[in-house]
Amino acid sequence: MTSEAGSIDPDQDGVDVVAEDTQQNAKGGGKDKKGSFWRELPVLIVVALVLALLIKSFVVQAFYIPSESMENTLLKNDRVLVNKLVYRVRDIERGDVVVFSGVDSWGGEAEYEEPSNPIAAFFRWVGTAFGVVPGEKDYIKRVIGVPGDTVKCCDAEGRISVNGVPLNEKSYLYPGDVPSISDFKIVVPDDRLWVMGDHRAVSLDSRAHGGDPGGGTIPIGQVIGRAFVIVWPFDRAAILPIPDTFDQPALHAAQAASGAAPLLLGFTMAFPLVALRRRIRVRR
């Protein structure tokens, strides 16, 4: 650039050069940032998937409701979140809504076609993992009886009873359903659960598997976790509490008595043994 005298102004020329270089660097830096973002995007996706799978495997998992067996508590196509840690800090309770695996035991309530190719199978696996599509061998039911319980139907008023205590199930049973159209009585074996759907007229629950090992009960070890909240659709979002009928003092008293029975039996048997031991000592 020339000054008014026609000579070159070195200071002004240096400013123009610096400004031009700054503009070029700014343009080049923007391109580098964009390129860096697209290069890092696959890594971010992989990391997000890995973290999501870790959370799904050990903490919380989303599940898709494939059938009407839990209506109207859960509707077909609802999504629920399942707590996979809760049963590490407390026992499974009557009234809990649990998700469990029926692999090698129960047949499916809903039939699904096997994926035709490995790619489709992969995407189905991902969809199942994130609760977008239903698992073929996963079930969701309500726990009615825990180990040691005597579950019976029906009493004179058509109610199911647990350890002789009748359940008032109107708050969660499907409107118009009766507790059961078939009579049954079972003592729940150790490490197993008696489970039933809330839509009793269509639910293929423990009642429908009486000929299976365990008399229709499911292994506690197959329980994946407790469904505690509906997350989709948003207008149905709600917590899944334990119904009040399972808080009856008489029900818990019966459970306590059942749990104390082995201890009382042990004491009853111990006294004669101690007395016999003393007699033997005296004779000697």
Side-chain angles (χ1 to χ4, degrees), residues 112-241:
Y112 308 101
E113 292 184 6
E114 290 291 335
S116 58
N117 59 70
I119 295 177
F122 170 76
F123 281 107
R124 180 174 181 79
W125 176 81
V126 172
T128 301
F130 292 100
V132 179
V133 297
E136 296 182 34
K137 287 289 186 177
D138 293 334
Y139 299 82
I140 185 163
K141 304 292 180 189
R142 190 180 298 279
V143 176
I144 303 297
V146 296
D149 281 348
T150 298
V151 185
K152 182 180 179 181
C153 189
C154 297
D155 66 7
E157 298 182 29
R159 299 171 299 183
I160 289 176
S161 64
V162 178
N163 300 328
V165 180
L167 302 179
N168 182 354
E169 302 186 279
K170 291 182 180 179
S171 66
Y172 56 86
L173 277 189
Y174 185 81
D177 275 9
V178 295
S180 180
I181 59 173
S182 59
D183 293 339
F184 61 85
K185 181 179 180 180
I186 185 169
V187 177
V188 182
D190 291 341
D191 300 319
R192 301 185 78 91
L193 304 168
W194 180 269
V195 296
M196 302 178 75
D198 289 353
H199 194 350
R200 301 285 165 79
V202 301
S203 178
L204 299 178
D205 48 41
S206 287
R207 297 168 299 164
H209 295 272
D212 295 347
T217 58
I218 64 165
I220 288 179
Q222 293 287 77
V223 173
I224 296 169
R226 177 178 182 259
F228 66 97
V229 64
I230 303 170
V231 293
W232 182 264
F234 291 134
D235 61 353
R236 282 186 40 75
I239 302 296
L240 299 173

Side-chain angles (χ1 to χ4, degrees), residues 79-91:
R79 272 73 164 180
V80 298
L81 291 184
V82 172
N83 186 333
K84 306 180 83 168
L85 293 178
V86 63
Y87 296 135
R88 296 182 182 274
V89 297
R90 74 162 175 86
D91 293 333

Side-chain angles (χ1 to χ4, degrees), residues 1-13 16:
M1 177 177 291
T2 58
S3 65
E4 291 180 0
S7 62
I8 298 175
D9 185 343
D11 294 335
Q12 184 65 35
D13 187 64
D16 290 343

